[in-house]
């Protein structure tokens, strides 16, 4: 399975963006899709994740209440709705699938730039 993230762009603080992560194949119900981001000069950090089958979600404290992760099982696509964006949200955003050995199947990143 390969993942492809898209939907990034340049926005103003307070704006919204929705990122998509398309899977090349059908995902199992047990799969978990995660979103990560990497800002210049910083380590990659976890943003959010969703369990493909039941839809349970988890968020980093820094985005809780502003970001919503979801999935469309029929479309094999995950989403990250980002509201109330802040300059500190500026980063390359990646999606990945959780394997038994850790996060894998990293998609190509999509750049989000938030200006104040």
């Amino acid at each position: 399975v390969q993942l492809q993230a898209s939907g990034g762009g340049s926005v103003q603080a307070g704006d919204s963006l929705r990122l998509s992560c398309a899977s090349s194949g059908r995902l199992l119900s047990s799969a978990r899709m995660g979103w990560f981001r990497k800002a210049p000069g910083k380590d990659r950090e976890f943003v959010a994740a969703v369990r493909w089958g039941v839809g349970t979600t988890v968020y980093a404290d820094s985005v809780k209440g502003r970001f919503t992760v979801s999935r469309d099982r029929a479309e094999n696509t995950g989403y990250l709705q980002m509201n109330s964006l802040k300059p500190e949200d500026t980063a390359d955003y990646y999606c990945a699938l959780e394997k038994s050995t850790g996060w894998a199947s990293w998609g190509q990143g999509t750049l989000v730039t938030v200006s104040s």
Side-chain angles (χ1 to χ4, degrees):
V1 170
Q2 294 182 326
L3 303 180
Q4 178 64 58
S6 62
S10 296
V11 297
Q12 298 287 323
D15 286 349
S16 299
L17 276 176
R18 188 176 80 157
L19 305 184
S20 299
C21 178
S23 170
S24 62
R26 186 174 179 178
L27 301 181
L28 298 176
S29 295
S30 59
R32 196 159 75 129
M33 178 180 285
W35 288 92
F36 295 78
R37 64 188 181 186
K38 188 178 187 313
K42 296 185 177 181
D43 293 333
R44 184 178 65 201
E45 66 170 333
F46 171 82
V47 175
V50 58
R51 183 70 66 183
W52 206 251
V54 297
T56 51
T57 58
V58 61
Y59 298 92
D61 288 343
S62 58
V63 305
K64 202 171 293 183
R66 299 188 297 124
F67 290 11
T68 303
V69 62
S70 62
R71 83 278 186 253
D72 184 328
R73 297 177 65 185
E75 295 295 326
N76 293 313
T77 300
Y79 300 97
L80 184 67
Q81 176 68 42
M82 306 185 296
N83 298 330
S84 302
L85 283 162
K86 304 175 181 180
E88 51 263 44
D89 294 319
T90 295
D92 279 306
Y93 283 73
Y94 300 85
C95 52
L97 292 178
E98 190 175 39
K99 307 287 188 182
S100 59
T101 53
W103 293 98
S105 302
W106 292 94
Q108 187 174 358
T110 185
L111 179 62
V112 173
T113 303
V114 185
S115 57
S116 57

